[in-house]
């Protein structure tokens, strides 16, 4: 009789064990939560992070020498005074530079705002820019597009098409301003990039001398920079904020 009771108890124990396995309550493995790699800290005043359209992020990001996609990144969110104290742990060995930059939804670099070379493989990398960083969307377009590609013709006292694209002048010259080349259209019409002469001139053959009264074809300016062209479009479509 005792033997029968013993066998029944063993059977019940086995059944209980199987049930515990079947219902998914498997004990978790112990995880190693130690952060590996280098650590960077950012101490900076940064303005304009809230002006970006959906799909863009102002971040502290790590890149390889020739990389255009961030190996690691962390969103930058300034406090009420525009100050940032941020720590980025676990920086991989292959990262050779850290940037305060803007990345898109696939972590591709859109524009660099501040950069520093990573040479220390042991201690914390401390980043403290000497001056405040303007991370606004228009400021990024100014430095990456207008200053580099446009201001050599659209600046000074005899700017082409009466359009001054110098820093501090471009917004007032573009947004809700009638085009001198395309009557009835705005240079930049907030919310409508496809109806804005600035974007159309860069994205289509509108400015071809064969198409109208233009002297210079602007469609080849951004042909190798589709990311920059998309940035311009998104700025206009999101309201062309100053």
């Amino acid at each position: 009789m005792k033997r029968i009771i013993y066998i029944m108890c063993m059977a019940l124990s086995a059944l209980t064990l199987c049930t515990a396995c079947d219902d998914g309550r498997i004990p978790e493995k112990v995880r190693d939560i130690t952060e590996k790699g280098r650590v960077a800290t950012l101490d900076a005043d940064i303005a304009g992070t809230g002006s970006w359209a959906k799909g863009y992020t102002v971040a502290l990001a790590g890149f390889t020498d020739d990389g255009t996609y961030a190996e690691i990144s962390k969103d930058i969110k300034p406090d009420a005074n525009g100050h940032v104290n941020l720590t980025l742990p676990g920086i991989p060995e292959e990262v050779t530079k850290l940037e305060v930059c803007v990345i898109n939804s696939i972590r591709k670099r859109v524009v660099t705002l501040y950069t520093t070379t990573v040479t220390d493989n042991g201690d914390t990398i401390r980043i403290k820019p000497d001056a405040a960083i303007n991370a606004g969307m228009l400021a990024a377009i100014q430095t990456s597009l207008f200053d580099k590609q446009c201001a050599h013709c659209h600046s000074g006292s005899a700017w082409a098409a009466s359009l001054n694209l110098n820093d501090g002048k471009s917004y007032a010259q573009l947004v809700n301003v009638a085009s001198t080349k395309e009557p009835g259209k705005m240079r930049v019409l907030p919310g409508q990039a496809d109806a804005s002469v600035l974007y159309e001139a860069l994205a289509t053959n509108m400015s071809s001398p064969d198409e109208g009264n233009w002297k210079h074809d602007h469609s080849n300016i951004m042909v190798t920079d589709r990311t920059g062209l998309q940035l311009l479009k998104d700025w206009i479509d999101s309201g062309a904020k100053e």
Side-chain angles (χ1 to χ4, degrees), residues 79-97:
D79 62 22
N81 297 316
H83 191 74
V84 175
N85 275 310
L86 179 151
T87 300
L88 177 65
I91 300 171
E93 291 184 1
E94 60 268 24
V95 167
T96 56
K97 53 188 173 182

Side-chain angles (χ1 to χ4, degrees), residues 47-69:
T49 58
S51 67
W52 283 85
K54 184 179 179 180
Y56 295 93
T57 303
V58 180
L60 176 63
F63 296 87
T64 59
D65 277 336
D66 301 319
T68 57
Y69 293 87

